[in-house]
Each structure stands twice: as C-alpha cells, then as structure tokens.
Amino acid sequence: MGRESGVMVIGGAGYIGSTMVQKLIDEKYQPVVFDNLSMGHRRLVPKNVPLVKGDLRNYKDILSALKKYKPGAVIHFAAASLVGESMTNPLKYYDNNVVACVQLLKAMKETKIKKFIFSSTAATFGEPKRIPIQEDDNKCPTNTYGQSKLMIETILKDEARSTDTRYVALRYFNACGAHPNGRIGELHDPETHLIPNILKVLTGEKKELQIFGDDYDTPDGTCVRDYVHVEDLADAHLLALEALNRGMKSDAFNLGSGSGYSVMEIVREVEKVTGKKVKVKMSPRRPGDPAKLVASSDKARRVLGWKIKHGLESIIRTAWEWEKIKNKSK
Ligand code: UFG
C-alpha cells in the first residue's frame, strides 16, 4: 500500500464508513477496512478491499494491522452511537469509544502514522445556546455518547499539542440517505433514526411512526434537526484528508446542511417523494432530545471547500430506494 494513498478505515463496514470506502475507491485511494463486525456488515465492504476483522481494544489487533498495511492516514468511524443506550450503559460507551480510540492512537504512534480523521458528533454541544451552532460554541453534552466523543476531541487536542500528529474532528449532525449506487445504506438493529423508521412504516415493517413529542418550542412543536446526506459526509472526509496531506493544522468542523426541518416536515416530505401516506402516532418526548439542532457549516465550506450535493428530496429518495432493496441485496 502506498504511504499517501493508503487509508485505513476503522469501522469501514458500517453505514458511514462503507460510504467512505466507496468514495476512497472512486478517488483512487487504497482503503483497507478494520472492523470488529459487531455492528458493521461484511457485505457493505467491496470484495476487492481488504477487511481486517479486529477489535481496537485488543492492542495487538490494531498494531499488527497498521504494521501490515502502513497506511498514510487513519479515518475512525467505529463507535457505539445510541444516545439512549449511552445513558443506561455508560461504561460501554467509555470502553467502546474512549478506551478503544486511545488504543488506536497508541498504535498509530508506535507505527508513526500521523494523520487522523475522527467522527465526532453534534451531541458534543448538548442543548445549544444559539442556532446555527458554530464550532467554538459551548460544549456541554447532555448524554454519555456526546460526552465520550468530546473526551476524544480533548485527547486529540492534547496529543496534537505534544506530538506531530495532526487530526480533523468532523461533527456530524443527522447523517441520512443512502449511496446512489444502491449497494450501501443504513442497516441498524435496532433502528432508532427518524427517516428509516418512517420508511419502515411504508414497507409495512412498522405499524406506525411514533413522533416523540409535539410540545417543543419549535414552529410545529416537533423537534428540528439538520439532515445531511451520507455521501456529502464522505466528501467532507475526503477534503479533510486532502487538507491534512497538504499540511493543514489540526481542526474541528461541524457538518450539517445549515437548514433545519421538523419531524413533521420530514414526514410530509417523505409523503411527497414516495406518494404514500405515513401513519403517525403522537407519543411522549424521548429523554435527552434537544428541541433544535442546526449546524453552521460555514467553516467547512470556507476552509475545506465543502459543497453539499444532496438536498432533502435526494436524501429521502436515496433512502427510500435503499429501504426497498436492502434485504434483497444480502
Ligand atoms: N424521532 C421520532 N420518531 C422516531 C425516531 C426519531 O419522532 O421513530 C425524532 C427524534 O425524537 C428527534 C428526530 O426525530 O427529534 C431525529 O431523531 P434521530 O434519532 O433520527 O436523530 P437524533 O437527532 O436523535 O440523533 C442523531 C444521531 C446521534 C447524534 C445526534 C446529534 O443519531 O448519533 O444526531 O445531534 F448524537
């Protein structure tokens, strides 16, 4: 593997990771996937991409993979990411997310790999004081998932200050949509995300969509989120990688579309795109849900040159195509 073109994608058998692997192939990089396949799926990794089945918490697994493939950079997607579960089982999140990432960084240090891209989250901000949220806004996570990601951002800052490792932390808002090639999309179990859950009502997999709260301080009372297509996220990683290759200093970026949509607006848009009626049921609030999360992505546009290609219609159309075929392409 060439030192510059080789990229190890940790968690590359997951939803966002496998979209990134495809992007790297398209851009003539040489990805290699490292994944423990606890949440990821072998079938999301193209057959000609090496897949190392290993666990970051087992130092030997990651050290030997890095020694073997000698990538120029590492992109780290692997994490436990269910907000609700993080509140009932916090140790799982500190182990899976923080301990595992420290092991990875130690193995990178030992093998002298100095470029790192990290999947962070809007959940690092907690309840925002202003919308849209800017990178330097106050960070006070309201759940253990966000806390675990913020801890890693702190670790990365310290590491970059004291060594010549450079990193980019990318804080995703609501990742959604599917790859237009029809081979990659969301395959979560359990599925907690809004758009796939709406689509499952249309395929008959779910009886109705529960709307978690209609008494928020938002125009229609349902929560407002910033939905960003998974392929646009992959583009941002590629730009971050190229920026690191050009010598950019360590930095953090918010990745969202800059537009907020309420749960009801998403339901209406799904009805418009699919031509089908969604059965909904108003339900109590889900603990830990902030009323409104919308990113300012000006910095990613300005510094990385990021441009969003997919709007809401394209997000829902690609997600719907995937939802209809995902079980057939097993
Ligand atoms: N929602 C419903 N019904 C559902 C599912 C979701 O009403 O069946 C609502 C939620 O209450 C929320 C909105 O739809 O208001 C979006 O919910 P998601 O679960 O799709 O996404 P979240 O905004 O809760 O979480 C996402 C990521 C997290 C990340 C967070 C950061 O999944 O990993 O964004 O903002 F931490």
Side-chain angles (χ1 to χ4, degrees):
M1 183 185 272
R3 195 72 185 169
E4 277 287 285
S5 64
V7 179
M8 187 164 289
V9 183
I10 315 283
Y15 168 48
I16 309 176
S18 59
T19 309
M20 186 68 219
V21 168
Q22 188 57 53
K23 179 68 58 189
L24 289 166
I25 295 169
D26 294 345
E27 297 294 327
K28 312 284 180 254
Y29 284 85
Q30 289 173 275
V32 50
V33 169
F34 182 97
D35 200 303
N36 68 6
L37 297 178
S38 65
M39 301 289 282
H41 305 267
R42 196 177 282 273
R43 73 172 167 115
L44 293 183
V45 181
K47 294 216 165 36
N48 55 352
V49 172
L51 167 63
V52 180
K53 186 167 185 266
D55 196 303
L56 288 180
R57 290 160 298 182
N58 184 355
Y59 188 64
K60 277 191 190 142
D61 284 2
I62 183 59
L63 185 66
S64 62
L66 291 176
K67 277 186 175 164
K68 179 171 177 192
Y69 289 98
K70 300 185 176 51
V74 170
I75 310 184
H76 180 33
F77 293 95
S81 62
L82 298 177
V83 169
E85 183 191 50
S86 79
M87 299 303 278
T88 53
N89 192 356
L91 288 183
K92 175 175 174 182
Y93 281 70
Y94 291 126
D95 190 34
N96 254 326
N97 298 359
V98 184
V99 173
C101 187
V102 171
Q103 296 287 80
L104 170 58
L105 292 170
K106 283 203 284 196
M108 284 177 58
K109 197 172 209 168
E110 194 169 334
T111 49
K112 300 191 171 46
I113 297 163
K114 294 171 181 171
K115 285 175 276 184
F116 187 64
I117 300 177
F118 173 62
S119 301
S120 189
T121 171
T124 52
F125 290 103
E127 193 73 59
K129 294 223 163 45
R130 63 170 174 179
I131 295 287
I133 304 170
Q134 297 195 359
E135 278 75 1
D136 291 335
D137 284 359
N138 190 39
K139 287 169 201 69
C140 189
T142 50
N143 54 63
T144 304
Y145 167 63
Q147 189 67 56
S148 72
K149 292 280 183 174
L150 186 57
M151 280 182 181
I152 302 165
E153 286 201 29
T154 307
I155 291 167
L156 287 172
K157 251 188 217 161
D158 291 346
E159 186 63 5
R161 197 174 34 230
S162 61
T163 67
D164 53 359
T165 295
R166 286 174 298 123
Y167 74 89
V168 174
L170 297 173
R171 302 186 191 119
Y172 315 152
F173 280 62
N174 289 65
C176 50
H179 198 288
N181 72 7
R183 208 186 49 73
I184 308 165
E186 272 183 274
L187 277 176
H188 297 125
D189 186 19
E191 186 51 80
T192 59
H193 295 124
L194 177 64
I195 294 175
N197 274 343
I198 300 176
L199 298 173
K200 280 178 199 297
V201 177
L202 299 184
T203 59
E205 211 178 306
K206 276 178 95 91
K207 198 164 93 267
E208 61 203 3
L209 175 80
Q210 283 187 283
I211 294 187
F212 300 135
D214 61 354
D215 56 351
Y216 285 95
D217 184 16
T218 59
D220 65 18
T222 64
C223 288
V224 170
R225 293 287 181 275
D226 184 339
Y227 295 87
V228 55
H229 195 282
V230 66
E231 213 195 2
D232 286 324
L233 291 179
D235 278 345
H237 288 73
L238 189 76
L239 291 165
L241 177 63
E242 287 168 350
L244 286 177
N245 286 341
R246 284 195 304 272
M248 186 180 80
K249 285 202 293 239
S250 298
D251 214 341
F253 299 89
N254 293 347
L255 297 181
S257 69
S259 304
Y261 293 96
S262 72
V263 173
M264 274 321 293
E265 283 175 313
I266 298 291
V267 170
R268 297 283 167 257
E269 186 67 18
V270 169
E271 292 183 332
K272 205 168 110 197
V273 171
T274 63
K276 292 172 183 284
K277 185 98 190 102
V278 179
K279 189 166 180 222
V280 302
K281 182 178 173 216
M282 289 306 168
S283 306
R285 288 182 178 199
R286 190 172 68 174
D289 274 346
K292 206 169 172 188
L293 288 173
V294 180
S296 162
S297 288
D298 291 351
K299 185 175 167 188
R301 275 180 259 276
R302 192 169 26 86
V303 178
L304 298 176
W306 188 46
K307 287 193 192 83
I308 287 180
K309 294 186 196 131
H310 297 272
L312 190 57
E313 193 270 342
S314 168
I315 286 173
I316 291 170
R317 191 169 28 77
T318 54
W320 178 224
E321 289 309 314
W322 170 250
E323 193 63 39
K324 286 185 289 185
I325 59 150
K326 66 173 205 251
N327 294 324
K328 293 183 193 134
S329 60
K330 261 183 196 163

